C-alpha cells in the first residue's frame, strides 16, 4: 500500500499548508492549557509535547494516518511474535524478553536463558567464578559491536557507578586501542573474555576475541583458555567451534533483533556491573511501557504519538535530522544507541514488498549530552537555516536536587527548550531592537521527556518507549524495521578487498 496515496496522508498535506503561519509563541501564549493538556505519561515517564508544531487537529489527522496504516493490527502482530520481519521470516519478539508470552515453550526458554545469565553474573560478583588456576575472576572484558554493545554500554553507564568487585570493560571497535586499554593491567588468570555476538560471525568481535585469547596465551601459556572465554550468542555451535567451553555459552533466540537485544542474555554486562536485581528492574520498566503501548488509548499513547510526530516532521515538514539531547551525563550514550535503533531499523528505501518508496523515512538521528551540547551544536539548532526537532531527555530528580549543579542542569534544559520554541519572545522585553545576526527566530520544536529517576526501571521504560516509537514509524513508512541488508555490502567488499 502506498501510504502517501491515502486520504489520511493527503489530509495532512492540506493541514500542513494550513499551518504555514503557525507560531509556537502564539500557540503557547493563547492556549495556556496547552502546556498542561499536552503532557503525557507512560510507565512513570512524562513527556511534554506542547512545544511541537502541531494543533489538536494535527493529532486527529495523525491518528487517522495510523489507522490507515493498520497500526493496531501490526502492534498485535509484534507482541504476538508473528513473523513480521518478512525478509528473514522471523518474529521481532523483544517484548517476550520482558513479559512472559502466552507461548509456554517460548516463555520457558526465555526464562531459562535469562536465569542462566543472571546466576552467572551473581556468581561473578560473588567471586565464585574461578579461572583455570582456581583464582576468582576479577576482570570481565565484554567484546561486542552494534546491538551487542550499545545497549549494555548505555544502560551500564546510565545506572551509575558499578557496584561489586568485578572490573568491567566494554570493547567494540576493531581498532586495537579499546582492547589494549581493557587488557592493560589485567591478569590472565583472573580475566574473563566474553564475546557477545548474535551471529558469531561479526569480524570485529571475532578478531578482538582472537586477540584477547592471544593475549591470554602469551601471558600465561599453560592456562586453559577455554575457562577464560565465554560467549553470548544465538549460534552456540559457532561459539564452541571458536573455542568456548559449553558451560560458558549463553544463548538466545534468533527472533531477537541485534538492536533489540539488551533484554536478552546480551545484557550480562549490566548484571555484572549493577547486579541481577537491576537487570530485572530494567525488564520491569520495559514491560510497563509495553503494557502502556498495548493498552493506552491512541490519543494518550505516548510511543504512538511520538512516532506520529516523527512522521509529521519528516514527511510534512521535510526534516531530515533529529537531535536527541540527554541532559544527564549518565545518558551520554543514548544518542549513539538511538542512532542504531532508529537508523538501522528505518533507514530503508523500499517497502516490505521491495517497492521503492516515494517519500523519506528515517532522519539522521544525532545528539550529545547537555549541557555540553550547548557549546557545540545549539548555535546551529537556534540559528541554522533549517530546524531539527529536538528530544530533551532528563530526570525529575535533578529539578529540586540538593546539588546546585543538577538544578542548573535541569534549568538549562528547560531554558533551551523555551529558546527553541519562543526565540526572542522568551526574553523579558529589553526595549531595544536586536541586530539580525543576534536574533533567535524560535518556532523550533522539541519534546521534553522526563524520567522520574535515573534508575533501572525508568531506563528500561525509556528504551522500550523508543523501541515502540521506532516501530510505529516503520509501520507508517511501510518498511521492515527488523532487517539490515544495507550492512552486508560492506562485509562483502571487505572480503573482496582482503582476497585481493
Ligand atoms: O550492524 C549490523 C549488525 O548486524 C547489527 O544489527 C548487530 O547489532 C551488529 O551488526 C552485531 O551483530 P552480532 O551481534 O551478530 O555480532
Amino acid at each position: 500500500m502506498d501510504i502517501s496515496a491515502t486520504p489520511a496522508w493527503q489530509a495532512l498535506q492540506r493541514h500542513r499548508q494550513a499551518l504555514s503561519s503557525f507560531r509556537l509563541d502564539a500557540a503557547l501564549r493563547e492556549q495556556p492549557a496547552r502546556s498542561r493538556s499536552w503532557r503525557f505519561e507512560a510507565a512513570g515517564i512524562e513527556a511534554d509535547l506542547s512545544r511541537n508544531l502541531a494543533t489538536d487537529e494535527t493529532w486527529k489527522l495523525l491518528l487517522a494516518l495510523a489507522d490507515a496504516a493498520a497500526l493496531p493490527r501490526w502492534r498485535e502482530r509484534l507482541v504476538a511474535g508473528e513473523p513480521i520481519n518478512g525478509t528473514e521470516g522471523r518474529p521481532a519478539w523483544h517484548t517476550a524478553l520482558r513479559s512472559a508470552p502466552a507461548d509456554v515453550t517460548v516463555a520457558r526458554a526465555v526464562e531459562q536463558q535469562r536465569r542462566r545469565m543472571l546466576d552467572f553474573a551473581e556468581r561473578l560478583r560473588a567471586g565464585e567464578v574461578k579461572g583455570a588456576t582456581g583464582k576468582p575472576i576479577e576482570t570481565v572484558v565484554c567484546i561486542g559491536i552494534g546491538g551487542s554493545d550499545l545497549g549494555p554500554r548505555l544502560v551500564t553507564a546510565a545506572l551509575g557507578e558499578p557496584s561489586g568487585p568485578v572490573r568491567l570493560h566494554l570493547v567494540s571497535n576493531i581498532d586495537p586501542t579499546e582492547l589494549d586499554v581493557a587488557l592493560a593491567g589485567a591478569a590472565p588468570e583472573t580475566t574473563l573474555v566474553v564475546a557477545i555476538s548474535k551471529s558469531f560471525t561479526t569480524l570485529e568481535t571475532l578478531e578482538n576475541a582472537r586477540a584477547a585469547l592471544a593475549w591470554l596465551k602469551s601471558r600465561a601459556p599453560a592456562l586453559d583458555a577455554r575457562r577464560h572465554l565465554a560467549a553470548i550468542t544465538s549460534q552456540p555451535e559457532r561459539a564452541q567451534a571458536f573455542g568456548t567451553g559449553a558451560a560458558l555459552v549463553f544463548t538466545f533466540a534468533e527472533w531477537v533483533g541485534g538492536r533489540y537485544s539488551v533484554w536478552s542474555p546480551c545484557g550480562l554486562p549490566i548484571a555484572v556491573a549493577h547486579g541481577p536485581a537491576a537487570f530485572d528492574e530494567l525488564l520491569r520498566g520495559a514491560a510497563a511501557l509495553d503494557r502502556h503501548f498495548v493498552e493506552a488509548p491512541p490519543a494518550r499513547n505516548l510511543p504512538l504519538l511520538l512516532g506520529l510526530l516523527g512522521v509529521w516532521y519528516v514527511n510534512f515538514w521535510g526534516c531530515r535530522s533529529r537531535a536527541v539531547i540527554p541532559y544527564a551525563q549518565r545518558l551520554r550514550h543514548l544518542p549513539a544507541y538511538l542512532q542504531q535503533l532508529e537508523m538501522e531499523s528505518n533507514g530503508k528505501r523500499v517497502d516490505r514488498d521491495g517497492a521503492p518508496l516515494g517519500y523519506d523515512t528515517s532522519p539522521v538521528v544525532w545528539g550529545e549530552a547537555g549541557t555540553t551540547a550547548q557549546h557545540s551544536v545549539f548555535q546551529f539548532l537556534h540559528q541554522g537555516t533549517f530546524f531539527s526537532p529536538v528530544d530533551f531527555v532528563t530526570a525529575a530528580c535533578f529539578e529540586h536536587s540538593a546539588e546546585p549543579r543538577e538544578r542548573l542542569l535541569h534549568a538549562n534544559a528547560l531554558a533551551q527548550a523555551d529558546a527553541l520554541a519562543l526565540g526572542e519572545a522568551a526574553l523579558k522585553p529589553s526595549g531595544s531592537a536586536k541586530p539580525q545576526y543576534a536574533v533567535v527566530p524560535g518556532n523550533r520544536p522539541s519534546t521534553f521527556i522526563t524520567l522520574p529517576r535515573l534508575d533501572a526501571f525508568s531506563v528500561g521504560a525509556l528504551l522500550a518507549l523508543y523501541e515502540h516509537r521506532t516501530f510505529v514509524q516503520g509501520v507508517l513508512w511501510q518498511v521492515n524495521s527488523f532487517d539490515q541488508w544495507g550492512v552486508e555490502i560492506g562485509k562483502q567488499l571487505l572480503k573482496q578487498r582482503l582476497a585481493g
Side-chain angles (χ1 to χ4, degrees):
M1 168 184 70
D2 178 359
I3 189 82
S4 64
T6 62
W9 183 288
Q10 287 152 11
L12 278 160
Q13 285 176 316
R14 291 191 296 276
H15 177 60
R16 168 67 185 86
Q17 292 318 310
L19 290 189
S20 53
S21 55
F22 178 87
R23 287 287 311 174
L24 262 171
D25 53 349
L28 289 164
R29 187 177 57 247
E30 290 155 16
Q31 306 153 40
R34 181 183 168 112
S35 302
R36 215 176 31 261
S37 60
W38 285 32
R39 279 176 190 273
F40 299 86
E41 184 275 338
I45 293 177
E46 265 218 355
D48 177 355
L49 274 51
S50 64
R51 300 183 185 88
N52 276 289
L53 301 173
T55 64
D56 289 332
E57 178 69 4
T58 313
W59 294 122
K60 190 162 78 64
L61 295 173
L62 285 171
L63 290 168
L65 186 66
D67 287 339
L71 191 282
R73 175 67 190 117
W74 280 97
R75 179 176 52 201
E76 282 166 13
R77 302 189 66 199
L78 170 78
V79 297
E82 291 186 26
I84 59 174
N85 174 355
T87 59
E88 296 178 312
R90 290 175 190 154
W93 215 356
H94 34 284
T95 53
L97 298 173
R98 55 244 192 172
S99 304
D103 183 321
V104 174
T105 308
V106 170
R108 190 174 297 129
V110 165
E111 173 59 27
Q112 185 266 338
Q113 291 162 347
R114 180 193 309 129
R115 275 278 45 98
R116 266 198 81 222
M117 181 275 280
L118 292 177
D119 291 347
F120 185 63
E122 192 59 65
R123 289 177 43 236
L124 275 167
R125 289 167 56 87
E128 292 168 5
V129 176
K130 306 289 177 34
T133 61
K135 290 182 180 175
I137 294 297
E138 296 170 357
T139 302
V140 173
V141 179
C142 292
I143 301 174
I145 199 164
S148 294
D149 168 79
L150 290 166
R153 191 180 293 261
L154 163 60
V155 177
T156 304
L159 300 187
E161 273 312 298
S163 62
V166 174
R167 270 189 308 282
L168 177 74
H169 295 279
L170 300 181
V171 173
S172 61
N173 201 329
I174 198 168
D175 177 327
T177 307
E178 262 194 323
L179 184 60
D180 291 350
V181 166
L183 296 176
E189 293 176 281
T190 58
T191 296
L192 177 72
V193 175
V194 185
I196 305 177
S197 177
K198 173 182 175 182
S199 63
F200 228 80
T201 60
T202 303
L203 175 106
E204 296 95 326
T205 301
L206 299 187
E207 287 306 313
N208 268 327
R210 285 193 184 96
L213 285 175
W215 172 84
L216 282 170
K217 288 201 171 74
S218 68
R219 298 295 190 82
L223 201 66
D224 174 0
R226 279 173 313 158
R227 297 281 300 279
H228 293 265
L229 175 67
I232 303 175
T233 183
S234 70
Q235 307 296 326
E237 307 75 30
R238 290 180 189 161
Q240 292 187 47
F242 185 82
T244 320
L248 290 178
V249 177
F250 300 87
T251 59
F252 57 95
E254 284 200 317
W255 45 256
V256 179
R259 52 193 174 273
Y260 298 88
S261 65
V262 68
W263 324 99
S264 76
C266 294
L268 175 74
I270 301 163
V272 169
H274 298 286
F279 188 80
D280 282 334
E281 271 300 283
L282 186 82
L283 296 183
R284 269 183 5 91
L289 204 293
D290 292 343
R291 283 192 299 277
H292 169 90
F293 183 43
V294 169
E295 297 165 2
R300 304 298 301 173
N301 194 304
L302 188 53
L304 174 59
L305 296 176
L306 292 181
L308 289 171
L309 260 186
V311 170
W312 175 234
Y313 288 127
V314 166
N315 301 106
F316 299 93
W317 290 81
C319 295
R320 292 184 161 183
S321 155
R322 183 169 124 263
V324 177
I325 314 286
Y327 269 74
Q329 189 61 14
R330 285 168 40 177
L331 292 178
R332 63 190 176 281
H333 298 306
L334 181 63
Y337 174 84
L338 293 180
Q339 282 183 328
Q340 186 199 18
L341 177 64
E342 297 189 38
M343 296 167 77
E344 193 166 87
S345 293
N346 292 334
K348 310 286 169 70
R349 51 181 285 279
V350 299
D351 68 13
R352 300 181 197 103
D353 304 319
L357 296 170
Y359 46 80
D360 279 345
T361 52
S362 177
V364 174
V365 178
W366 56 278
E368 173 66 54
T371 59
T372 315
Q374 294 172 199
H375 303 271
S376 58
V377 299
F378 270 81
Q379 164 60 43
F380 158 79
L381 287 171
H382 286 304
Q383 289 190 328
T385 51
F386 60 88
F387 74 82
S388 298
V390 177
D391 285 7
F392 289 92
V393 183
T394 187
C397 54
F398 293 152
E399 190 165 10
H400 305 298
S401 168
E403 165 51 63
R405 286 172 295 167
E406 287 184 342
R407 295 199 301 272
L408 279 172
L409 178 69
H410 194 266
N412 267 282
L414 288 167
Q416 293 298 333
D418 283 343
L420 285 169
L422 309 174
E424 301 301 328
L427 294 169
K428 290 192 173 61
S430 66
S432 58
K434 270 187 178 177
Q436 264 312 302
Y437 61 74
V439 168
V440 169
N443 216 39
R444 301 195 171 195
S446 67
T447 294
F448 205 89
I449 295 171
T450 306
L451 278 61
R453 291 162 304 282
L454 269 186
D455 60 9
F457 184 96
S458 303
V459 171
L462 179 71
L463 300 194
L465 174 64
Y466 274 110
E467 282 182 347
H468 294 317
R469 176 192 188 284
T470 301
F471 170 72
V472 166
Q473 294 194 207
V475 168
L476 266 74
W477 287 327
Q478 308 287 304
V479 300
N480 176 356
S481 297
F482 301 106
D483 61 9
Q484 51 285 322
W485 295 103
V487 304
E488 292 313 310
I489 189 165
K491 299 177 184 175
Q492 289 154 9
L493 283 176
L494 176 70
K495 281 201 184 87
Q496 197 170 285
R497 175 173 288 274
L498 295 178

